[in-house]
């Protein structure tokens, strides 16, 4: 005969402490499962956000490159198109003026001289606009020479003494990185000229390890950076925000420090990654900013 099976103890037959421990263990397991599920969801969301940010940066860089390419095209059109037309016009006016002088037509020669002055002035402005849109120096001779040209040109247009120094020398960076630093410098100096009422400004470019550091400072009236949130200061805020956005595209950061009566300092720090630099040897005559 089969032996009778002893009855199994039910949960209710267990001691109270044992039942409480089992319930607590079940609760802990349920909480852990929820935590693991939430952690996995958060990880997936984080990875998705990283991919989205990467795509956004790539898109923003692509848009920025398109803008720079368009600037380069417009600069070339101004220089080679309108610039050459104005040059031909100036030469033609000069020949007519010479003929007028030869025939002692003083009145006509005077009017032609005035027209020639206007034409030459338009030619000069066209060439300067072409260089400001996209200086060929930046592509041909590098960042240091382009910054020297920029500071000298802006100083000639205003009553501000602008000093420029760099430790790069003949070292070249990638076109995108050089363009970034040039555009931030251009925007910062434009703000100095328009708003600071400064008498002096300094541009400092240094390379420390794998970090590139640009500093643009002035001795102007300064301002409260909180004013950039004022709707009346929207234009200034957009300019600063644009510089910051461009810096972040390259993994860098832009800091603005100012106070009323204490001038303003804009600092850009951007990493120089592998592949961002190469050496370009230029002749000593070509690298002299004064001879450009």
């Amino acid at each position: 005969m089969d032996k009778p099976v002893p009855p199994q103890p039910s949960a209710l037959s267990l001691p109270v402490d044992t039942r409480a421990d089992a319930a607590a263990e079940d609760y802990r397991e349920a909480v852990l499962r929820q935590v693991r599920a939430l952690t996995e969801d958060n990880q997936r969301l984080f990875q998705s956000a990283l991919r989205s940010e990467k795509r956004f940066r790539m898109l923003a860089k692509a848009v920025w490159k398109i803008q720079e390419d368009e600037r380069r095209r417009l600069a070339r059109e101004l220089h080679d198109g309108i610039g050459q037309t104005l040059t031909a016009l100036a030469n033609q006016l000069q020949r007519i003026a010479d003929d007028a002088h030869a025939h002692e037509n003083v009145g006509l020669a005077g009017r032609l001289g005035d027209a020639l002055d206007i034409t030459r002035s338009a030619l000069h402005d066209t060439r300067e606009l072409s260089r400001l849109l996209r200086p060929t120096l930046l592509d041909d001779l590098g960042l240091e020479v382009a910054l020297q040209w920029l500071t000298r040109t802006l100083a000639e247009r205003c009553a501000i003494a602008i000093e420029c120094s760099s430790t790069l020398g003949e070292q070249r960076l990638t076109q995108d990185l050089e363009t970034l630093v040039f555009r931030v410098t251009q925007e910062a100096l434009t703000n100095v000229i328009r708003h600071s009422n400064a008498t002096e400004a300094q541009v400092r470019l240094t390379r420390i390890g794998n970090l590139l550091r640009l500093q643009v400072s002035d001795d102007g009236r300064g301002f409260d950076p909180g004013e950039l949130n004022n709707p009346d200061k929207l234009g200034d805020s957009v300019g600063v925000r644009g510089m910051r956005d461009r810096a972040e595209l390259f993994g860098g950061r832009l800091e603005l420090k100012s106070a009323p009566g204490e001038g303003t300092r804009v600092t850009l720090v951007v990493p120089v990654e592998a592949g961002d630099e190469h050496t370009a040897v230029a002749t000593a005559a070509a690298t002299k900013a004064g001879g450009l």
Side-chain angles (χ1 to χ4, degrees), residues 64-83 126 129-136 139 175 183:
W64 185 65
K65 284 186 177 181
I66 291 173
Q67 291 176 336
E68 286 298 326
D69 288 342
E70 186 65 13
R71 283 173 175 260
R72 188 180 291 105
R73 186 188 67 81
L74 289 174
R76 187 168 55 249
E77 288 293 329
L78 282 172
H79 185 274
D80 297 340
I82 298 176
T126 299
L129 180 58
S130 172
R131 294 189 185 104
L132 288 173
L133 275 171
R134 179 71 190 187
T136 57
D139 297 324
Q175 187 179 80
R183 292 303 181 201

Side-chain angles (χ1 to χ4, degrees), residues 154-166:
L154 293 179
E156 291 172 353
R157 290 186 169 189
C158 61
I160 301 177
I162 305 177
E163 180 187 351
C164 178
S165 65
S166 169

